[in-house]
Amino acid sequence: MGGMPDKRATGAAKPVAVPSSATTGSAAKPSGSPVVDGAGKPPIAKGTKPSTKSPVPKGTKPGTESPLVKDHKTGKRRARRPSRPGDAAYSLARRFVLAPITTGPRESSSSESSSSESSAATRESSIANRDSTAREVTTALFIEPAWDGHRVLATRDGTSVRLAAADFREWTNTFPSAARSLLRLSAKTLAIDGVVCMMDKTGAPSFDKLRKAVAVGTAVPAALLIAWDLLWVDDEDLRGLPLVERRRRLAALIAAAGDSGVILSQQLDGELAHVVASVAPLGIRGVVVREADAPYDTSWQAVSASGEPIDWRRSLSPPPPLSNADKVLYPRDGVCKRDIAAYYRDVASAIIPHLLDRPVVVQRWPDGIDEFDWYQHRMPPKAPDYLRAAWVDGVRRIVIENGDGLLWMANQAGLVYHGFASRLATIAEPDWAMIDLDPGERTRWPDIVDVALAIRKLLELLELPSVVKTSGQRGVHVLVPLAAGHDFAQAEAFGDGIGKLLARLLPDKVTLEFDKEKRGGKLLVDTRQFMAKTLVVPYSLRGVDGATVSTPIAWDELTPSLDPRSFTLRTLRDRLDARGDLAAPLFSGTGRLDRALAQLRAQG
């Protein structure tokens, strides 16, 4: 490991050298082989030893738990799956979250070296001073190459190993040599933050070469694991230690193993500006900078050596396919899968902002809307890596954040997208309070309009903003965009207060009774709200005749003469061009419920 960087130094960075063993990827195979699968648990607190035992119900003696478990798909009891060798490594991996890497401001092109060095110097000052209010400012920065590969969490527990991306996507079997290299290290339990790379003919890392190798569809034995950090070793959690101490331990672990195949990421000495200018000719895309005394979970900074910002979310998966393109999914409308894909491609710029960072449940009709449908809660096991996965309440949820992810799900006959009311970054805080108008058998469209307009009047009296949209079927959704800091209990209490007022004002039209047989054909005002409660997102199709769309509308459009069935797969793009996204207020909620809740409580 290189010496500690000195901000006062003016020398150029040391050249990046990859050991000769790094280019072969062909060390002897040890006993044991990478095994995957199993179930994980939420991350544990630092300093806590992870347990890889399966959870046992309270009061049950280990070894006497029931041999039967409930199957989440069928609801029936089935035999408990015996634990497999890979479960331990999988469970261990579930206890860690890769530290975020923040990309710095866009750097000037490498040809404008003076400007680039000035920008990097500014970044160096920013990094050194960003925590000055929290602790004594350090001038020691730890600089490494921003390796042009795929970042992974590498874990080992005994003879089982695992490579996983930041969202726990499995890469062990794709990069078997990199995975097996962990078995050559002396620690029996470990977790490493690193990058899987392939080198080009010049010896520089090449993401394009890695992606092409993965696209072939077979294992990539030439891929290497370059280690950035050591999070856990044997029974010790290292994340709270200073970076220099973690790196010292990592270097010793790798050196003791000899030709293990795990490569230690090289520290680059010198001023940040000079280091950035020096790595570009070597084929390195930039550098990663951390404070030398910082714990693991402190944000990392990436500084580009070119005019392009460093992208850490690049995909190794092939583009989304379109299979069985002519398969008809809406038989009475002649709408086939090709049309579904074209629609979601056309409205991607409008629907994706409503999906970003939000867990989604995808409703799929593999054989068309006349056949069975099912709800995809969990990330499909062979999904591409441009679909993001996130653990929420023990479920590896789907998060769609780009057009490729949306089109891949559309190709899986994913027609309808039901989103959480909160985003992952603030999962306990809803973005809106929801009032769902669910019509009964004797409810007519003018009745729905009357009730919705009554809600609008109440919200105006309470001085709260609102967004209204069609459900895409017979109903209407009224949403109150909320300011940050509300919880689901407040949102539901608010909706409950509105519902009770409506039941008193319009007793012949609305009900709060959830038992359908007791509703008397009236419109249900559904105000239930909790974290896993979903709502069809704006611009999602519905699985009904007409290929209708859940469409945001202006309040002055909500009249008895409006036909919500006019908003379809064939008309929505033109409407978006003309009206824009009328649900945009949901992105920056301003509603505060405290005063409104007090007023509603006063009404009894």
Side-chain angles (χ1 to χ4, degrees), residues 556-576:
D556 60 12
E557 292 182 279
L558 188 61
T559 66
S561 62
L562 176 69
D563 183 0
R565 296 172 299 179
S566 65
F567 304 129
T568 72
L569 165 149
R570 295 189 171 98
T571 65
L572 227 292
R573 182 65 261 177
D574 289 342
R575 176 179 171 82
L576 276 169

Side-chain angles (χ1 to χ4, degrees), residues 411-444:
N411 188 56
Q412 305 299 308
L415 303 184
V416 184
Y417 296 82
H418 305 265
F420 275 38
S422 57
R423 298 182 189 265
L424 292 169
T426 51
I427 197 67
E429 299 180 12
D431 293 335
W432 55 73
M434 177 186 71
I435 304 169
D436 181 358
L437 303 184
D438 184 5
E441 293 86 349
R442 62 183 180 89
T443 306
R444 301 294 177 259

